[in-house]
Amino acid sequence: MTVRIAVAGASGYAGGELLRLLLGHPEVEIGALTAGGNAGTPLLAHQPHLLPLGDRVLGETNLENLAGHDVVFLALPHGHSAEIAAQLGDDILVIDCGADHRLTDAQAWERWYGGTHAGSWPYGLPELPGQRDVLKNTKRVAVPGCYPTVSSLALAPAVGLIEPEVTVVAVSGTSGAGKSLKPNLLGSEVMGSLSAYGVGGTHRHTPEITQNLSKVAGREVKVSFTPVLAPLPRGILATCTATLTSDDDVRSVYEKAYADEPFVHLLPEGHWPTTGAVLGSNAVQLQVTVDRDLNRLVVVAAVDNLAKGTAGAAVQCMNLALGLPETTGLSTVGVAP
Amino acid sequence: MTVRIAVAGASGYAGGELLRLLLGHPEVEIGALTAGGNAGTPLLAHQPHLLPLGDRVLGETNLENLAGHDVVFLALPHGHSAEIAAQLGDDILVIDCGADHRLTDAQAWERWYGGTHAGSWPYGLPELPGQRDVLKNTKRVAVPGCYPTVSSLALAPAVGLIEPEVTVVAVSGTSGAGKSLKPNLLGSEVMGSLSAYGVGGTHRHTPEITQNLSKVAGREVKVSFTPVLAPLPRGILATCTATLTSDDDVRSVYEKAYADEPFVHLLPEGHWPTTGAVLGSNAVQLQVTVDRDLNRLVVVAAVDNLAKGTAGAAVQCMNLALGLPETTGLSTVGVAP
Amino acid sequence: MTVRIAVAGASGYAGGELLRLLLGHPEVEIGALTAGGNAGTPLLAHQPHLLPLGDRVLGETNLENLAGHDVVFLALPHGHSAEIAAQLGDDILVIDCGADHRLTDAQAWERWYGGTHAGSWPYGLPELPGQRDVLKNTKRVAVPGCYPTVSSLALAPAVGLIEPEVTVVAVSGTSGAGKSLKPNLLGSEVMGSLSAYGVGGTHRHTPEITQNLSKVAGREVKVSFTPVLAPLPRGILATCTATLTSDDDVRSVYEKAYADEPFVHLLPEGHWPTTGAVLGSNAVQLQVTVDRDLNRLVVVAAVDNLAKGTAGAAVQCMNLALGLPETTGLSTVGVAP
Amino acid sequence: MTVRIAVAGASGYAGGELLRLLLGHPEVEIGALTAGGNAGTPLLAHQPHLLPLGDRVLGETNLENLAGHDVVFLALPHGHSAEIAAQLGDDILVIDCGADHRLTDAQAWERWYGGTHAGSWPYGLPELPGQRDVLKNTKRVAVPGCYPTVSSLALAPAVGLIEPEVTVVAVSGTSGAGKSLKPNLLGSEVMGSLSAYGVGGTHRHTPEITQNLSKVAGREVKVSFTPVLAPLPRGILATCTATLTSDDDVRSVYEKAYADEPFVHLLPEGHWPTTGAVLGSNAVQLQVTVDRDLNRLVVVAAVDNLAKGTAGAAVQCMNLALGLPETTGLSTVGVAP
């Protein structure tokens, strides 16, 4: 099979990671690369690591350029996917790495993002219960946010064993913020410093984590979510805790939940996840324990926010939607040290 | 006044930071510098930034070298302070940067550290209610651990407004681990990676945070504590959350609690703490908010683990104990970027 | 003495470092703080580490705000100092941290910076032969560039012993580039990567190094200069080499040259400079050796580009110009690790 | 073809990178993994990113474990390869990532490494003139050092156009130093600091660069080499300069030299190499220019020291020696940002 793909938003970090992965995908032929303000410039100016595509000139993100491909990946700022997606026919597999189609609740969308809800698409986290089947043969995929990916995988197996209120503190590298030219994202500011942002439940990924855990639990799960920015380009380490209400052996619950998953790995006891170990890979590393003094579950999970947290998930969902082996072109081996 | 001081453990990170601060202290004369395995070598080999003291040769950590000073700072691995401290007369102000004299409960000491409890000394966190007076004219000070400092200051004002169970996830630079030659502390491992350790309430600072908050609350406060290691040399950013039980305005509670404190700063609304802003300084930056969806208090606090988190607190306590102005030789201005 | 100072460009990195140092200067009172586009905003928004000045609101950079001070520091982009400087009376000590008044040769200025040459001011590197006297009682100081500072100090003592062609490769942290919002300065791009820029003698600091070394040598010294950007906020490490033409003992030449200098330190043999050791300090660390296989002098020098490389030099020159002890308010102790 | 390989030294950085690459090599089956002091422990304890091999237990590095493979990779400290290599039969392809068999001159070996010269093997840098043919069908390969790889590729095309004395300043990440537990390699020391080492022609890679360039030039080329340690795990950026003696267009000389090379890329004019762009890949990025003020050639080159600088080169040489396509299992796409 040769799948002809296009990437809208090829000059950004998500777009670059999609192309890095797709260059190594054996069934893919890379077609149109488009951008917004960077249209008309060569890819090398934005993605110096993608040398084989370096002299490709970025086109405008429009129907003319994107039509005629088997798969279109949208790696656009939120609010920009809906319009172009609506123009792409139902014969094209459209995979949206942005937020536009993730939330099922229109009111939640309006509260957190503002503007009109574009509707929801099949949610691209195949490791959630029942979700893999939804993604087979779909023509539309909403790729999860990076924090919701790692938080949901960390807590989903436990939602039946805990009070329905969880605490997530997720430390992240800077690439999750994209290439925005903001002073606080300058290297001089980031290196040697830690900072919190989106504190007090104000980060837009909060309702997405809530949606995922509530759906799995079959009741509302409240989420206290705080992201922290740390000095590294890639990687999220999430610490997730909740009060246990069950005497079940949590370790065996997690072992069972992820026994057959190719990308979610419960580490052997005594080993703790690090983001360095999953750099550039589609793997999620997990460890679970119980703080007996508080009867509190503690789950730590590591993910590469650009890979499994965004572009890797997109490729995984493409594989599922096209009927390819789910792991095609994806690795579980990180680039370390 | 000229205060003659000695530092035991001068080749380590805490010892180096003590000397950096004491070199800028107007009332201090630096006397003996001692070490364990590094005795006999010049300070410059271990502390290349302390050029004015570079050719000082480190002595053995023993009574002969440490006696005859007004103040002796102990910057030794836990378990090593008690013996030497017992030999130093009551006329010497002994300030222990290690853990030996922090816990008041002998059983807790045995559970968390093993061995015999050396007894507890006045706890060197003057910003806790009533603690400043305890530290005036004392001859013994137990300097708090770095995580307990930042966590206790973040939550102490709130203990009357919350459920007695708090969650603390504290992200730290690597210098808190000292100069231990462990593979996971190598630059190649640390840079570009995040890792959790001491998960599930197993870190030794857990009982110290519990002790502090419980004392302030007048009842047991349970602490879910998880430290995370991030790629920077210095700094701790702690995210502390708890369920509110009061309708009081938490911001004004914090304003009142720290209005007269020279080193603890509640930032103006809209500004969030960063560790870069307190690098090398004795300042603690705080911000508080309430997550209304969960009725949950969220406090974020930043500290330099080697400064206010260790050596700066030691100097602050020395000032108090000697009757000097508390801020002498200490700065609230960080070195940034 | 109380010296009333103003800082134009207070929201940038050089301005911030000036204020950090001046807050610790015993003879200084901080007056007007001005900015360009950031005028009207509080300092805390730009300099979160300068808490004692945090609520100061930045004024416009104009005569009205800057007049009436004893000293005005200009920390402006090149090309912006000349106009405002011309308006400030000769009774005000004006210290320009920018490039406008560094080059003595009008043609060189036009070639490297373009536009009209504003004229040259006394050059603020007191450690160059004869330069200290020039700076006493002056009312105008051109603070050297960061690369010229470290390169000139590294090579000046040797210019009589070498072929008049030197090679300098200087690795720098990112703060030297200022707060410019350029994609290549984003944390995500900088961390984990090294890059060259201004290669082939195209960096504007090249003619300034050439000017300094040629003046000391009394003949033209050609300079091959390459800067490299590395992932740290502060610090420059320069490797400087040249072919020896003399049999003199170079070490003793350097010892003699800097024996009485308070800020330039030739390290003991076997110790090599690191930028970490001078972080936040006004010290320069040097080491010299000879590669006998090539008969080539190799000098390695470390400096903090914002401190001795910019703001520290400015304060040092202020001290000289005002007749204060040269080291007032400046430290030789770095913040490490 | 299925090639059965063994890796001696599997717990180190070079060994880990070999396994990362070999896990993605379509013709390879991974056999014995051996170690020195780490024998008997599972691979996961040392290489947490190599999850698919995580429960493999490391064997002793001896003949019994290594015999019976088609290819044996030696990733051992220098001085340890010769003995085990001598025991491995001529039917086994032995690829030595260490220094033991790189130098052809026994006297040079003794001067720089001490001890007895083990003899020289075919040198694994196929991009040097004529070297590719030497590597086809060989049973022994000496993989070049990381600095010699990047320096030799940067300067080899130019040796006929320059004075036979070159200056190389190469900035490196920390993984080149291996997992040695030395204080100066701790994260706390490395981050936020730059340091020089092996200054004055004392680094052991100096004679190797000299050997390579002299062989290509057909006359002795003297090399002034200084390595600088920077805060990143991987990557070397080398700045190489020399006085031009020819009027030839150097750019076209480089274009011609590397036109057909799959891994060495002369970037388009205006683009400069960064190590981030080659992270994890086997690519070398080059740019050349001439400083007309000094008539001096300046070449900047970037490489991943563990990939093309060590393990990637080893796999490339294996491919050549086995008659596989040279690029099998190797990528030119970096992991960025």
Side-chain angles (χ1 to χ4, degrees), chain A residues 119-198:
Chain A
S120 75
W121 288 357
Y123 190 74
L125 196 53
E127 293 86 356
L128 289 185
Q131 197 62 19
R132 183 165 277 113
D133 286 340
V134 175
L135 293 163
K136 290 180 182 163
N137 301 312
T138 182
K139 288 295 185 185
R140 293 291 184 271
V141 178
V143 177
C146 51
Y147 291 121
T149 294
V150 66
S151 308
S152 304
L153 293 174
L155 286 168
V159 288
L161 316 173
I162 55 175
E163 299 275 5
E165 180 170 320
V166 301
T167 302
V168 176
V169 178
V171 191
S172 175
T174 54
S175 60
K179 285 196 189 174
S180 329
L181 295 178
K182 296 180 185 162
N184 70 313
L185 295 177
L186 286 175
S188 299
E189 303 288 322
V190 167
M191 293 184 288
S193 192
L194 298 161
S195 53
Y197 69 106

Side-chain angles (χ1 to χ4, degrees), chain A residues 127 152-154 156-157 253-261 264 266 286:
Chain A
E127 293 86 356
S152 304
L153 293 174
V253 170
Y254 275 79
E255 277 171 354
K256 206 154 109 185
Y258 294 129
D260 298 326
E261 286 299 338
V264 184
L266 181 66
L286 290 180

Side-chain angles (χ1 to χ4, degrees), chain D residues 293-306:
Chain D
D293 286 343
L294 290 88
N295 197 35
R296 201 165 175 94
L297 173 74
V298 185
V299 188
V300 176
V303 73
D304 181 325
N305 58 299
L306 288 181

Side-chain angles (χ1 to χ4, degrees), chain A residues 14-90:
Chain A
E17 184 72 353
L18 278 165
L19 290 169
R20 183 180 76 85
L21 296 173
L22 293 167
L23 277 165
H25 194 291
E27 313 289 350
V28 156
E29 183 188 310
I30 295 174
L33 308 182
T34 75
N38 293 323
T41 62
L43 187 67
L44 192 61
H46 313 286
Q47 313 283 13
H49 60 303
L50 301 177
L51 216 54
L53 299 169
D55 53 7
R56 289 282 199 94
V57 174
L58 298 170
E60 297 279 349
T61 296
N62 59 31
L63 179 61
E64 188 183 345
N65 283 328
L66 298 175
H69 295 83
D70 302 309
V71 185
V72 172
F73 292 94
L74 302 177
L76 304 171
H78 77 83
H80 288 67
S81 298
E83 188 184 341
I84 186 71
Q87 301 173 47
L88 296 167
D90 288 347

